[in-house]
Amino acid sequence: MKKLFLILAGLTALFLAYATYLALKVAPTDALQGDVYRIIYYHVPSAWTAFLLFFINFIASVQYLARTKASLQKAVQWVVIAIGVIGVIATFLPQVQALLPTGMRPSAVATTVLAIPAFYFLLGWKFPGDRMDMLALTAAEVGVVFCTIVLVTGPIWARPVWGIWWAPGDIRLTSTLVLWLIYVSYLVLRRFSNSAQTQIIAAALAVFGALDVPLVYFSIWFFRTQHPQPVIGGGGSMDPRMLHTLLISWMAFLCFAFLVCWSRFRLELLKREAEQAEAMESLVGAGTAAKASVPLSRSAR
Amino acid sequence: MNSFKFLVAAYVATWLIHTFYIGTLFSRYRRLRQSLKELGKRK
């Protein structure tokens, strides 16, 4: 396992180096922004990766909550299947298509809707029992790291292009900051609460927190913001070499995120093993102390 | 537009954040290994 991880880490490092080479050398310079636009190759893939990780956290949290009751688990499964089927059919109805923002492809919406049941059943199959909660925690933590990068690189890009670091009140920027704060609160709750209900409360928080993800994503489609309008799937145009570089960068960051999640998940496994071992030890210690106290109490009688 | 420094700053910031996070993962891993070892010794 360790060998496989090292091989994958080496390959990912090469892939990231190649993506950075494409971003800095191969992709053409933007006519309006100059070289600074190349921040897009780190900023946008980081945002997409963060969204994907928060989506995984959402699915894992729903799964975890559903597993608390067998009847609830069955009901949620049917709801998820219904979302997939109805969602896909609905996106191809002309009445629904008329509601979609200009440039948004129905096929893209259908794929996104289909991802909900696909991820739900795949994760449910791959992460039994308490491992689902570990996955939720892992996805949230790594997602926060990627979201932090979005919030740091965004203002660095905005300063030379807009002339300001931050546009107060801008819905895209504000909703992204709120998203980051929600998941930081989730992590703080996980870190400092000792209640037996922590995992359930955190899962519920994650389910509500995930509602901010579509708001962040669609804010530039529905509202007038300082942030640029979408250039992919939004009716905008992009040089094919730029698009190619952007997709390669995203793939490289996805591979990197996968490895980081792998490490974090293994760390969580080890942590819970240590906690179990410690609990066992104190139980054995308490048992030995009780045994030792029996003759004492007898002799006292 | 003298914006090259902003580009470099964004790329450096990205890798600094990732390096910092991976560093915290390593240190947490080391601490856990150590406490597991101590638990094993006590047994």
Side-chain angles (χ1 to χ4, degrees), chain B residues 21-38:
Chain B
Y21 179 62
I22 292 169
T24 60
L25 282 186
F26 266 115
S27 77
R28 278 196 266 178
Y29 187 78
R30 224 178 314 124
R31 257 182 285 144
L32 259 177
R33 275 258 171 250
Q34 190 65 37
S35 62
L36 271 173
K37 222 184 257 177
E38 278 167 23

Side-chain angles (χ1 to χ4, degrees), chain A:
Chain A
M1 199 68 121
K2 198 175 175 184
K3 204 174 173 187
L4 176 69
F5 182 85
L6 287 174
I7 293 169
L8 288 178
L11 289 174
T12 303
L14 284 177
F15 197 13
L16 280 165
Y18 174 63
T20 307
Y21 165 75
L22 287 182
L24 293 174
K25 290 281 172 198
V26 177
T29 305
D30 186 77
L32 285 172
Q33 297 184 27
D35 277 325
V36 78
Y37 99 93
R38 293 177 200 278
I39 293 176
I40 197 175
Y41 301 119
Y42 271 34
H43 179 78
V44 174
S46 297
W48 289 347
T49 308
F51 289 160
L52 180 68
L53 289 166
F54 292 148
F55 176 68
I56 291 173
N57 169 269
F58 167 70
I59 297 287
S61 299
V62 171
Q63 276 266 12
Y64 186 78
L65 287 174
R67 280 178 188 177
T68 52
K69 251 187 189 178
S71 57
L72 185 65
Q73 193 172 7
K74 272 266 175 284
V76 174
Q77 274 179 2
W78 284 111
V79 169
V80 168
I81 292 170
I83 289 173
V85 174
I86 298 169
V88 169
I89 295 169
T91 45
F92 291 101
L93 294 174
Q95 294 93 329
V96 176
Q97 284 182 5
L99 296 173
L100 295 178
T102 330
M104 188 178 280
R105 290 192 213 102
S107 58
V109 179
T111 313
T112 312
V113 170
L114 263 183
I116 297 172
F119 269 82
Y120 187 85
F121 290 106
L122 185 75
L123 296 182
W125 170 57
K126 275 286 185 198
F127 294 88
D130 225 24
R131 288 186 174 219
M132 189 58 79
D133 177 60
M134 293 187 218
L135 174 72
L137 176 61
T138 300
E141 197 173 294
V142 182
V144 164
V145 173
F146 277 92
C147 197
T148 308
I149 287 164
V150 174
L151 285 170
V152 169
T153 55
I156 295 175
W157 190 4
R159 182 68 184 84
V161 177
W162 300 344
I164 45 170
W165 294 99
W166 188 265
D170 183 279
I171 189 150
R172 170 50 85 86
L173 275 57
T174 311
S175 56
T176 310
L177 180 63
V178 168
L179 183 72
W180 184 81
L181 287 171
I182 289 170
Y183 282 97
V184 168
S185 323
Y186 173 90
L187 295 178
V188 169
L189 175 69
R190 300 290 310 234
R191 175 75 182 80
F192 294 106
S193 170
N194 287 321
S195 156
Q197 301 289 310
T198 303
Q199 292 167 332
I200 290 179
I201 296 168
L205 172 66
V207 170
F208 287 108
L211 296 177
D212 193 35
V213 175
L215 177 68
V216 174
Y217 185 74
F218 290 111
S219 57
I220 50 172
W221 299 77
F222 291 110
F223 301 98
R224 188 180 285 274
T225 73
Q226 181 86 23
H227 192 279
Q229 294 299 302
V231 282
I232 297 164
S237 60
M238 196 178 200
D239 186 291
R241 284 170 298 169
M242 289 180 177
L243 183 61
H244 171 78
T245 307
L246 188 62
L247 294 177
I248 291 283
S249 289
W250 187 36
M251 289 296 131
F253 274 106
L254 274 183
C255 293
F256 178 69
F258 170 74
L259 287 179
V260 177
C261 283
W262 184 352
S263 312
R264 179 64 187 89
F265 189 82
R266 290 205 53 84
L267 180 75
E268 192 59 28
L269 265 177
L270 199 68
K271 187 184 151 206
R272 293 194 187 193
E273 265 175 38
E275 281 169 359
Q276 267 179 2
E278 221 164 304
M280 281 294 281
E281 199 201 38
S282 54
L283 216 67
V284 169
T288 320
K291 263 185 199 168
S293 69
V294 170
L296 243 175
S297 53
R298 276 182 191 156
S299 64
R301 262 187 254 156

